[in-house]
Amino acid sequence: MRFPKIAAATSVVLLAAACGGNSESGGGEADSLTVWVMGTSQEPLVEYFEDTEARFQESHPGVSVEVEFIPWPDAQESITNALAGGDAPDVLEVGNDQVSSWAAQGALMDITEQVEGWDAAAGIDPKALEYGTYEGVQYGVPWFSGVRTLYYRADWLKELGHEPPETWDELVEVAEDIKAEYEVPGFAAPTDFTNGIASFIWSNGGEIAVQNGDTWEGRLTDPATVEAIEFYAGLTTDGISPQDYVGQNELIALADMANSELGMYIDGGWALTSMEEQAGDPSVIEDIAAAPIPGAEGIAPAFAGGSALTVFTTTEHPDLAFDLLTVLGDEEGGKGYADVAGFFPAYPHLLESEEYQEDPDRAAAATQMQNTRFFPTTPRWTAADQDNKILPSAVLEIVQGGDSEKVLEAANEELTSILNEPVE
């Protein structure tokens, strides 16, 4: 297995000559296949791919697997260049919320029939598998997932006689007690935080948008959605969450949590490493624990972020590329990558094991992983959320004093319009 220039350069796009074009053309077996993985190289990941290559070569001896790490900020340009005829992979990792967008642009191969004949697919979370489709066609297979949970100061809650909050009422009660006792904000509710806001909406029975036939309908004006958004915005206007977080995303709360300046906030497991780096007193990290996100009446659903494995449309060996995808994405391969990368496998029954449920660092997320949701499966979701920030902007306007009914009516019209724009 070769990792082109990985040790020397992980912050730039690593494009090697080895790709689909390095394989034999025509009907012969390929000499090599290339996998593009998003992120940067780390020794545990290198070891994982070495094991993957060995497993793959049990069925395809002599075919090497070449792995190239593409930093996430460079992914758009790299895939676009590959579509234009540049160096391209055979197997490609994309964010699970990007499958429909790249499928619409012609970057991904239709793997519907292959997935239907793949035994391991029966054990994958069906909702996650469906999220890899676009217009009824399967383009991606879940590789791993990650969810956000509620981080809290376990020592403070113990001193206050509280368990981690499981409902909105309990969240407010615990946050108020933290502020009264420790003179720091009890909870952070940043307004530029679609993933967090969505959990509040879903937990109250609301929706962001639903598909009716070929048409998308915004649901930001539905009573359950409105109530959830008003509650989330009210956390700031009522003083539970400080004004400093208005207009900000969850990253602003990370340093506060790591330095005993905040009692609770929502973030993913990947945040712990950053907390360790930013903590003035490293021992504080030992007192930070996680629990499922509290909802209106119980655990709130969380967006199941993660990545999908796809076959790039220009591969010269589609069947072989899909075989490699199955080695990466079956229970052994999917769990193996999730473990070394700090995420969770896409196979729900694996999360029920003691390995996840009894590990204090992973138990909350493993439980949260069993209550997940997904954003609208359309290429236009990126335009609605990342480009136009429709939901965060509406929450921001309400926090700043806007009339929620008028704000959400306008936001809903914009959301519906953007989701129904033609896909270029």
Side-chain angles (χ1 to χ4, degrees):
M1 171 174 289
R2 293 199 302 115
F3 292 83
K5 303 180 183 177
I6 282 175
T10 57
S11 60
V12 298
V13 178
L14 300 173
L15 299 176
C19 63
N22 239 24
S23 306
E24 296 179 10
S25 60
E29 178 96 326
D31 294 322
S32 65
L33 293 178
T34 297
V35 180
W36 279 7
V37 180
M38 299 302 141
T40 54
S41 172
Q42 301 172 32
E43 187 58 34
L45 300 181
V46 172
E47 294 177 359
Y48 165 82
F49 283 109
E50 289 174 346
D51 291 342
T52 296
E53 181 182 55
R55 288 184 62 212
F56 181 66
Q57 290 177 341
E58 292 175 4
S59 300
H60 302 283
V63 183
S64 64
V65 177
E66 301 186 1
V67 180
E68 300 175 20
F69 288 86
I70 311 296
W72 278 106
D74 299 325
Q76 178 80 27
E77 180 180 0
S78 299
I79 300 173
T80 300
N81 289 342
L83 269 175
D87 290 338
D90 297 287
V91 178
L92 168 68
E93 174 195 358
V94 298
N96 64 350
D97 59 346
Q98 300 169 354
V99 171
S100 60
S101 178
W102 287 117
Q105 295 177 61
L108 311 181
M109 191 180 82
D110 177 350
I111 55 175
T112 305
E113 291 186 9
Q114 293 94 323
V115 172
E116 289 175 350
W118 181 34
D119 291 342
I124 294 176
D125 179 352
K127 294 183 295 183
L129 191 62
E130 183 180 0
Y131 203 50
T133 66
Y134 173 59
E135 294 186 338
V137 176
Q138 194 80 46
Y139 289 102
V141 171
W143 195 13
F144 61 83
S145 294
V147 290
R148 287 164 175 80
T149 57
L150 178 76
Y151 282 110
Y152 65 95
R153 281 294 297 264
D155 55 335
W156 291 357
L157 265 64
K158 183 178 180 180
E159 291 170 2
L160 293 169
H162 285 302
E163 295 294 326
E166 296 182 353
T167 66
W168 291 353
D169 288 344
E170 292 175 2
L171 177 68
V172 171
E173 179 184 4
V174 173
E176 289 177 339
D177 286 354
I178 288 173
K179 184 175 182 179
E181 180 67 22
Y182 303 103
E183 299 182 346
V184 300
F187 179 70
T191 59
D192 188 8
F193 190 21
T194 297
N195 288 332
I197 299 167
S199 285
F200 283 75
I201 291 172
W202 291 329
S203 83
N204 202 42
E207 298 283 357
I208 296 171
V210 298
Q211 190 172 19
N212 185 2
D214 294 332
T215 303
W216 284 94
E217 300 174 353
R219 291 294 174 85
L220 300 185
T221 56
D222 285 6
T225 303
V226 173
E227 182 179 35
I229 291 174
E230 289 178 339
F231 175 81
Y232 189 87
L235 292 169
T236 299
T237 57
D238 292 344
I240 301 296
S241 178
Q243 290 289 326
D244 290 346
Y245 299 156
V246 175
Q248 302 294 326
N249 62 31
E250 71 272 27
L251 295 179
I252 192 175
L254 191 150
D256 289 344
M257 191 73 194
N259 289 286
S260 301
E261 296 174 2
L262 177 67
M264 299 180 289
Y265 93 115
I266 296 170
D267 207 339
W270 48 87
L272 282 172
T273 299
S274 296
M275 286 189 212
E276 292 171 355
E277 294 172 349
Q278 297 191 39
D281 178 3
S283 66
V284 168
I285 303 302
E286 299 177 5
D287 293 320
I288 297 175
I293 299 172
E297 300 296 337
I299 295 177
F303 170 63
S307 282
L309 292 168
T310 68
V311 176
F312 202 71
T313 189
T314 61
T315 180
E316 296 178 5
H317 299 275
D319 292 338
L320 195 63
F322 185 78
D323 285 349
L324 176 56
L325 181 154
T326 65
V327 174
L328 291 163
D330 63 10
E331 286 194 15
E332 181 178 348
K335 181 181 183 302
Y337 189 83
D339 286 348
V340 298
F343 292 97
F344 292 89
Y347 295 85
H349 73 93
L350 295 179
L351 301 176
E352 299 172 1
S353 69
E354 294 181 358
E355 176 182 357
Y356 295 103
Q357 294 295 334
E358 296 187 5
D359 181 342
D361 293 331
R362 298 197 285 181
T367 298
Q368 186 71 71
M369 278 293 302
Q370 298 178 51
N371 194 348
T372 58
R373 293 285 297 275
F374 296 91
F375 292 123
T377 312
T378 167
R380 301 302 300 161
W381 174 247
T382 298
D385 185 49
Q386 296 182 22
D387 298 342
N388 289 276
K389 293 184 178 294
I390 293 175
L391 183 56
S393 296
V395 173
L396 174 62
E397 191 172 348
I398 293 169
V399 168
Q400 293 175 333
D403 179 85
S404 61
E405 182 177 342
K406 294 180 180 178
V407 169
L408 292 175
E409 182 176 352
N412 199 60
E413 290 180 2
E414 182 183 10
L415 176 63
T416 299
S417 175
I418 289 178
L419 292 183
N420 287 296
E421 289 176 355
V423 177
E424 298 179 357

